[in-house]
Amino acid sequence: ENVAQQTSDTPQNRAQAARIFGRIGQIEHFLDHYDAANTAFKRSIELSQRVVDEQPNNRRLRSELARQYRMHAETLIELNDLQAARQTFELGRAQWNRLHTVDVLEPEDELERIRIDHGLAELSLHADTTEMAQSEVESAHERIHLQPAAETRPEFQFAELENQRLSAMILLARNELAAAEEVAKSALFKYQFRRDRFFAEDRTTMRLETQLINLIGQIAEARGDWEDAREQYQAGLDIQRRNLQGRREPSQFIVANSFLGEAGQLDHEAFCDYIETQLRLARVLIQLDRPYEAEYRLGQCQLCSSVISADRLDVLRYHVAEANTWALLWQSIHERRPNEARAVLDQ
């Protein structure tokens, strides 16, 4: 950061400073320091834009600016500034559109363009505008299949699966359950079939697998097939545990870390992913009239969500997970133990 602040005012040095601020933004985002990431990305974009204005046909500089916009938009989503995130994605898209008139996009640049399509599709789904989401998914699909590298490069294989996941989400939002299930199960089968050939078992790929399994669980819930949904969410938790230190549930990690003195760092995002799957499982267990199993799951969620939300006060997602835990707990006990349920409402 000191190097970036001290660079002299020449295009070459401004471009280098922009890269440094962009890298700082990535690090801060990874650490869940979203306000700091937002500040760093703003500075990176400001510097990059000045250089691009001076050299508008420089392909590398424009593609770097487009990437900064995309990463900044992802940080704005974490800050729950969804309108600004959409505008920032669109600014990134404008850079790729301008770049396409200058030169043919390289595979790496096309992947970045596809990631913007996917980001905008997610935002459209969040806003219940499935038509816009469908348009973004179709745009990404076309770009994936126009690429000669799509059949051999893992990144394009992953993008295709992500596209199918979004398509299934759109169908679910439209209540087209049979079609949604077919697309989601097809994507999961393709992932599992191609996993050893194309994908390293890392956090990103395991998260996609869990998202697909959870999506199949959501479709089962929408059909009222609670037992199928329970099996899907349990399978999702089993996969998520493989991505956690010692393959322990977050609540076990927190107990060991806090009370037994074992070394280890909180993994906030992975813990929240796990909590959100546990909440889905608890909701299904309530429907299956298995309240004590549900309360066991909710107790784990409450412990973990309270710890990570207290540790990251500015991350809305963690506070939402904690609020949803208390809401489900009330749903589980309000008829059987009304006095305790009233206490839960105070939370």
Side-chain angles (χ1 to χ4, degrees):
E1 188 167 358
N2 289 336
V3 172
Q5 297 281 9
Q6 295 170 10
T7 52
S8 60
D9 194 26
T10 67
Q12 182 178 0
N13 287 339
R14 281 200 298 275
Q16 182 61 24
R19 294 182 193 111
I20 294 172
F21 277 114
R23 185 57 179 156
I24 293 168
Q26 288 179 275
I27 294 168
E28 297 288 13
H29 184 106
F30 178 80
L31 295 173
D32 295 343
H33 300 159
Y34 298 122
D35 285 326
N38 183 35
T39 300
F41 283 130
K42 282 182 178 179
R43 184 63 176 140
S44 175
I45 288 169
E46 177 189 349
L47 291 166
S48 291
Q49 188 65 65
R50 287 179 61 190
V51 179
V52 167
D53 290 343
E54 295 167 348
Q55 303 178 48
N57 293 330
N58 188 308
R59 181 182 172 283
R60 180 190 178 192
L61 294 175
R62 193 173 290 279
S63 66
E64 288 177 355
L65 175 58
R67 285 187 179 86
Q68 298 302 331
Y69 275 124
R70 193 262 303 169
M71 292 187 290
H72 187 205
E74 291 171 352
T75 293
L76 290 167
I77 289 172
E78 297 295 343
L79 290 170
N80 204 41
D81 194 346
L82 303 186
Q83 182 176 357
R86 173 172 288 280
Q87 292 170 349
T88 305
F89 272 133
E90 293 287 4
L91 289 169
R93 168 182 280 172
Q95 296 302 321
W96 292 122
N97 291 343
R98 175 69 181 274
L99 186 59
H100 206 297
T101 67
V102 176
D103 198 359
V104 176
L105 290 184
E106 296 291 333
E108 290 76 12
D109 293 337
E110 199 68 82
L111 281 166
E112 282 289 331
R113 180 66 174 79
I114 291 165
R115 291 183 184 114
I116 287 179
D117 289 339
H118 287 165
L120 286 166
E122 291 266 19
L123 288 174
S124 296
L125 277 167
H126 185 83
D128 292 327
T129 52
T130 57
E131 294 81 5
M132 291 180 65
Q134 184 66 40
S135 175
E136 301 296 350
V137 166
E138 289 173 357
S139 171
H141 176 81
E142 181 180 354
R143 291 179 181 282
I144 291 167
H145 290 279
L146 284 176
Q147 267 292 325
E151 293 298 321
T152 57
R153 288 192 53 169
E155 301 95 326
F156 283 98
Q157 296 284 314
F158 186 88
E160 180 192 359
L161 296 172
E162 179 68 10
N163 220 48
Q164 284 190 267
R165 181 184 72 85
L166 290 166
S167 295
M169 290 177 65
I170 292 168
L171 291 166
L172 174 59
R174 293 173 174 169
N175 205 36
E176 299 177 31
L177 303 184
E181 185 173 38
E182 181 180 357
V183 172
K185 286 186 173 179
S186 172
L188 181 61
F189 175 80
K190 287 179 182 177
Y191 169 81
Q192 292 171 339
F193 180 75
R194 300 172 183 176
R195 178 170 48 201
D196 293 338
R197 178 182 174 190
F198 285 105
F199 305 124
E201 193 174 74
D202 60 16
R203 174 167 300 190
T204 302
T205 56
M206 289 171 66
R207 189 177 195 194
L208 174 63
E209 184 178 12
T210 305
Q211 286 175 326
L212 289 169
I213 291 172
N214 285 348
L215 180 54
I216 295 168
Q218 288 176 265
I219 295 166
E221 274 195 83
R223 290 199 319 267
D225 190 341
W226 308 115
E227 185 57 36
D228 184 23
R230 185 197 66 78
E231 290 176 1
Q232 298 298 335
Y233 294 144
Q234 186 61 64
L237 290 173
D238 291 342
I239 293 169
Q240 286 174 308
R241 267 198 301 276
R242 298 207 309 263
N243 195 36
L244 297 174
Q245 184 176 335
R247 301 196 172 191
R248 293 182 295 186
E249 293 188 354
S251 59
Q252 295 172 333
F253 174 89
I254 288 171
V255 168
N257 187 258
S258 301
F259 301 108
L260 303 180
E262 294 186 13
Q265 269 192 318
L266 294 175
D267 192 341
H268 300 79
E269 185 176 16
F271 282 11
C272 195
D273 286 343
Y274 195 90
I275 291 165
E276 288 166 350
T277 303
Q278 279 192 309
L279 289 172
R280 293 188 179 100
L281 177 57
R283 185 173 63 223
V284 168
L285 289 168
I286 292 169
Q287 293 293 333
L288 287 168
D289 198 25
R290 293 159 67 169
Y292 298 109
E293 290 179 66
E295 287 179 42
Y296 167 72
R297 293 291 179 181
L298 291 170
Q300 292 182 318
C301 291
Q302 195 282 321
L303 172 62
C304 300
S305 61
S306 63
V307 169
I308 64 173
S309 61
D311 198 48
R312 293 285 190 272
L313 293 174
D314 61 334
V315 183
L316 180 64
R317 179 189 173 198
Y318 304 160
H319 295 281
V320 170
E322 185 175 14
N324 285 338
T325 298
W326 288 114
L328 274 176
L329 182 58
W330 179 87
Q331 183 181 342
S332 176
I333 69 174
H334 76 281
E335 291 182 353
R336 294 178 295 110
R337 306 201 300 274
N339 290 336
E340 293 179 42
R342 281 193 289 272
V344 167
L345 288 176
D346 293 337
Q347 301 298 322

